[in-house]
Amino acid sequence: MYFAALLARTEDGWKASDTELDDVETLSDLADLAREANPDEDTVLVLIEQEDAWFGVVRMDGEDDPRIYVSDAAAAARSAYGELLLTDELLGREPGSDGPDLDALDLDGTEDGESDEDDESDDGTGTSADAVPHSPVGDSEILDDLGVGEKELRALDAEDALGAIAEALGASEVLETVR
């Protein structure tokens, strides 16, 4: 299960609307959806969380390229909605490369029968963790000017991250109306 909402900054404060991502197939589609939410070209945030496993923030400022932050790339990679955000650039891949076969990857870092201790000995062959890290990716300074610094953003737990972000923005009441 996922939750997605748009927060658009207006002259009167933040305006929230829930959004369905079922028809969104690319990051460009998501950017267009965000721009439509605020034709005045002010800041629009797309907030996405999935099953308290990961959250993502996409920031649109007018016609600028989207800025993206994902709290846990490996968890997001298992989600169709996360795959929208995990661009080649964000993951440090060559643009246009297919990347690893995510269905074939062992994203928890262990093979069947291996212990977690085996992860510490890297044989240099490259692991799935290299391709899709179990860590945040993207622009961790995405909300600095809005009152959520890099350190605070990285410390957020996926379970309550969107509420904490909205509270810092002064938008918790409007976000709750669409939850």
Side-chain angles (χ1 to χ4, degrees), residues 11-90:
E11 290 177 5
D12 301 324
W14 291 96
K15 174 180 78 171
S17 57
D18 62 341
T19 187
E20 284 293 322
L21 299 179
D22 294 340
D23 295 330
V24 175
E25 295 179 7
T26 66
L27 183 58
S28 290
D29 292 344
L30 187 61
D32 291 343
L33 182 69
R35 287 186 183 107
E36 290 171 14
N38 198 356
D40 295 334
E41 296 191 4
D42 283 331
T43 299
V44 178
L45 301 175
V46 180
L47 305 174
I48 303 170
E49 72 179 3
Q50 184 146 19
E51 298 172 355
D52 298 332
W54 66 274
F55 70 93
V57 178
V58 178
R59 179 177 177 161
M60 296 299 308
D61 292 303
E63 291 298 318
D64 292 346
D65 287 340
R67 294 169 60 192
I68 304 166
Y69 175 82
V70 177
S71 67
D72 183 335
R78 292 183 223 123
S79 159
Y81 303 113
E83 287 179 348
L84 287 173
L85 307 180
L86 296 175
T87 63
D88 289 337
E89 181 180 337
L90 201 67

Side-chain angles (χ1 to χ4, degrees), residues 97-170:
S97 72
D98 290 335
D101 178 6
L102 294 179
D103 292 330
L105 293 178
D106 175 30
L107 293 175
D108 73 357
T110 61
E111 295 293 328
D112 290 337
E114 274 187 330
S115 72
D116 290 338
E117 293 172 4
D118 292 339
D119 293 342
E120 294 174 16
S121 61
D122 184 10
D123 62 2
T125 61
T127 64
S128 63
D130 292 334
V132 184
H134 283 280
S135 63
V137 294
D139 184 353
S140 57
E141 297 175 352
I142 192 169
L143 301 173
D144 273 359
D145 64 322
L146 299 174
V148 181
E150 176 180 3
K151 188 176 185 179
E152 293 86 5
L153 186 62
R154 288 181 174 270
L156 291 175
D157 184 310
E159 187 173 334
D160 61 349
L162 300 189
I165 291 169
E167 186 174 322
L169 300 175

